[in-house]
């Protein structure tokens, strides 16, 4: 008997969908369970990817199913429908993208997909091949790195400094492998703040964008400190226009397969490049300062994240210069942004000094209050298993 597989990490959402889809629905909440279920029961013809599934994961899963299990239909549910999202998903092999809040549309899409699957299954050799086991390139495992995007809606709040020091903190002097990616493609400052010579940058991937492999990816990286390699932004701002969204996604996925963490320093705008990075992100770290313009922009950015369907539990706000005496309490800050502050980074004159000499405090003074505060934040957010979002198909917690 054919059964529907529902992949949904949020229990409440899963319960609602099971009530809609019926008793013949088998719910899985992890990548391992999904791979095992799809591979073990060849009679299943429908996989419903719930609203919590990041777009990049859904696309990767559908692409592999199209090649290995053509009779297996994939229906993607979204809380908000977007033309670009729909186009990307459908190109990858997702059969239908449906508003999760429209029960009739969900049931109709599932029925159409199952009917098509039955027709395909009646033809010879339609069982296809097994999907790769967890840990292989298709459906990621816990060994694939987590993507952390450091974002701010306003310049001058210390975003790049925090991204650099966070990457160094997570590496723990080589105990982990961390890739720091400068995706402020027009005006990236990672190179100058770390005294790295940009002999190789992401722009070197442009000529081979359609055929870059793991070896080619490694040649783009610049070694920095123990455990930390850096993908630098282009030297010429105009080169950013030649870098496509697809290339960004591909480079991030390659980094995930090589590193424990991928820390992305983003631009403070919602460009196609930044959206590609945010789509592939597990953890969103929004940096702000206790100033009304910065807080207002942070609130606007959070509203935009809602529109883009990025999971709220995957977001954290870090308050930089948190002890600045500017007439705003932490309570005032949280009232403006309508979100609790997860990390408090103190003010220090040593920060601009470290920027001017190009040596991050996490390198020169690892026990300084600033890297110490980042270390405590990282331990709570990224290293404590209870604080991690549940892992998805590619272990992303984006959208």
């Amino acid at each position: 008997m054919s059964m529907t597989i529902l992949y949904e990490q949020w229990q409440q959402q899963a319960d609602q969908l099971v009530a809609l889809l019926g008793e013949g629905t088998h719910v899985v909440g992890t990548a391992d369970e999904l791979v095992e279920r799809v591979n073990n029961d060849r009679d299943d013809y429908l996989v419903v990817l719930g609203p919590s599934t990041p777009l990049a994961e859904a696309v990767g899963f559908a692409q592999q199913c199209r090649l290995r299990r053509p009779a297996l239909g994939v229906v993607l549910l979204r809380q908000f429908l977007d033309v670009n999202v729909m186009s990307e998903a459908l190109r990858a092999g997702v059969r239908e993208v449906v508003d999760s809040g429209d029960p009739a549309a969900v049931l109709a899409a599932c029925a159409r997909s199952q009917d098509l699957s039955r027709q395909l299954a009646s033809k010879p050799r339609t069982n296809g091949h097994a999907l790769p086991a967890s840990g292989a390139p298709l459906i990621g495992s816990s060994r694939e790195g987590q993507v952390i995007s450091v974002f701010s809606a306003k310049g001058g709040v210390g975003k790049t400094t925090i991204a650099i020091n966070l990457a160094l903190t997570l590496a723990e002097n080589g105990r982990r492998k961390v890739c720091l990616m400068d995706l402020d493609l027009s005006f990236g400052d990672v190179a100058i703040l770390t005294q790295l010579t940009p002999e190789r940058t992401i722009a070197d991937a442009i000529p081979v964008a359609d055929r870059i492999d793991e070896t080619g990816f490694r040649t783009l990286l610049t070694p920095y400190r123990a455990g930390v390699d850096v993908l630098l932004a282009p030297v010429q701002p105009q080169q950013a226009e030649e870098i496509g969204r697809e290339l960004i996604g591909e480079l991030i996925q390659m980094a995930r397969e090589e590193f424990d963490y991928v820390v992305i320093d983003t631009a403070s705008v919602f460009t196609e490049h930044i959206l590609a990075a945010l789509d592939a992100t597990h953890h969103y770290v929004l940096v702000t300062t206790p100033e009304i313009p910065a807080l207002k922009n942070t609130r606007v950015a959070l509203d935009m994240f809602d529109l883009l369907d990025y999971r709220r539990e995957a977001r954290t706000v870090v308050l930089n210069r948190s002890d600045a005496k500017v007439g705003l309490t932490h309570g005032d800050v949280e009232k403006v942004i309508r979100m609790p502050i997860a990390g408090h980074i103190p003010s220090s004159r040593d920060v601009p000094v470290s920027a001017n000499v190009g040596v991050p405090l996490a390198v020169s003074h690892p026990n300084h209050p600033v890297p110490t505060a980042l270390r405590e934040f990282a331990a709570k957010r990224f290293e404590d298993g209870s604080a991690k979002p549940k892992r998805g198909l590619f272990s992303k917690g984006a959208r």
Side-chain angles (χ1 to χ4, degrees), residues 164-185:
I164 293 170
N165 283 276
L166 179 60
L168 290 162
T169 296
L170 289 169
E172 286 194 10
N173 295 315
R175 192 167 78 86
R176 300 188 190 88
K177 294 174 62 180
V178 178
C179 179
L180 173 61
M181 303 179 73
D182 189 348
L183 292 189
D184 187 346
L185 299 181

Side-chain angles (χ1 to χ4, degrees), residues 153-348:
K154 182 180 181 298
V157 301
K159 169 183 60 65
T160 300
T161 296
I162 285 179
I164 293 170
N165 283 276
L166 179 60
L168 290 162
T169 296
L170 289 169
E172 286 194 10
N173 295 315
R175 192 167 78 86
R176 300 188 190 88
K177 294 174 62 180
V178 178
C179 179
L180 173 61
M181 303 179 73
D182 189 348
L183 292 189
D184 187 346
L185 299 181
S186 296
F187 302 104
D189 287 330
V190 170
I192 196 170
L193 292 178
T194 54
Q195 290 187 319
L196 288 174
T197 303
E199 295 177 354
R200 294 162 289 178
T201 75
I202 191 174
D204 292 304
I206 296 173
V208 293
D210 58 342
R211 59 186 185 280
I212 190 167
D213 56 14
E214 294 178 4
T215 302
F217 171 69
R218 293 191 195 100
T219 65
L220 301 175
L221 301 176
T222 301
Y224 180 46
R225 300 282 172 170
V228 180
D229 290 286
V230 184
L231 181 61
L232 295 170
V235 176
Q236 302 297 329
Q238 64 269 24
Q239 291 179 305
E241 300 177 2
E242 303 177 53
I243 299 172
R245 178 189 179 110
E246 295 78 12
L247 177 59
I248 296 293
E250 191 169 358
L251 293 174
I252 292 173
Q253 178 58 29
M254 287 183 177
R256 292 197 56 226
E257 294 168 2
E258 294 282 334
F259 294 87
D260 298 307
Y261 291 99
V262 182
V263 177
I264 300 175
D265 181 30
T266 67
S268 297
V269 289
F270 289 100
T271 64
E272 282 297 304
H273 304 117
I274 299 306
L275 289 174
L278 296 176
D279 281 350
T281 295
H282 298 80
H283 307 279
Y284 306 94
V285 177
L286 290 93
V287 181
T288 191
T289 53
E291 302 162 316
I292 291 300
L295 297 176
K296 183 267 294 181
N297 284 12
T298 300
R299 184 58 254 169
V300 171
L302 289 167
D303 290 340
M304 179 64 75
F305 274 36
D306 285 337
L307 291 175
L308 292 169
D309 200 15
Y310 296 142
R311 294 193 304 137
R312 293 190 177 189
E313 60 266 42
R315 314 173 196 170
T316 48
V317 174
V318 168
L319 185 65
N320 197 21
R321 305 166 199 152
S322 62
D323 54 352
K325 307 300 182 183
V326 291
L328 290 176
T329 67
H330 291 171
D332 294 331
V333 171
E334 292 180 343
K335 184 177 181 180
V336 172
I337 64 175
R338 302 199 297 277
M339 186 172 176
I341 301 168
H344 298 79
I345 313 301
S347 301
S348 175

Side-chain angles (χ1 to χ4, degrees), residues 66-212:
R66 182 171 58 184
L67 295 173
R68 298 169 181 267
R69 292 283 302 278
L72 182 68
V74 179
V75 172
L76 177 63
L77 306 185
R78 299 281 84 178
Q79 290 180 333
F80 303 98
L81 295 182
D82 176 86
V83 173
N84 294 329
V85 170
M86 295 176 68
S87 298
E88 186 173 351
L90 294 174
R91 281 198 305 268
V94 172
R95 289 189 183 166
E96 307 230 13
V97 183
V98 191
D99 183 351
S100 60
D102 187 342
V106 172
L107 290 175
C110 290
R112 286 191 295 267
S113 179
Q114 288 174 318
D115 184 54
L116 177 58
S117 291
R118 281 189 288 270
Q119 295 178 42
L120 292 173
S122 66
K123 299 177 182 179
R125 298 186 63 183
T126 54
N127 279 342
H129 304 286
L131 301 180
S134 182
L138 161 64
I139 298 181
S141 69
S142 59
R143 291 193 297 274
E144 284 195 326
Q146 298 182 60
V147 181
I148 303 167
S149 285
V150 183
F151 183 88
S152 68
K154 182 180 181 298
V157 301
K159 169 183 60 65
T160 300
T161 296
I162 285 179
I164 293 170
N165 283 276
L166 179 60
L168 290 162
T169 296
L170 289 169
E172 286 194 10
N173 295 315
R175 192 167 78 86
R176 300 188 190 88
K177 294 174 62 180
V178 178
C179 179
L180 173 61
M181 303 179 73
D182 189 348
L183 292 189
D184 187 346
L185 299 181
S186 296
F187 302 104
D189 287 330
V190 170
I192 196 170
L193 292 178
T194 54
Q195 290 187 319
L196 288 174
T197 303
E199 295 177 354
R200 294 162 289 178
T201 75
I202 191 174
D204 292 304
I206 296 173
V208 293
D210 58 342
R211 59 186 185 280
I212 190 167

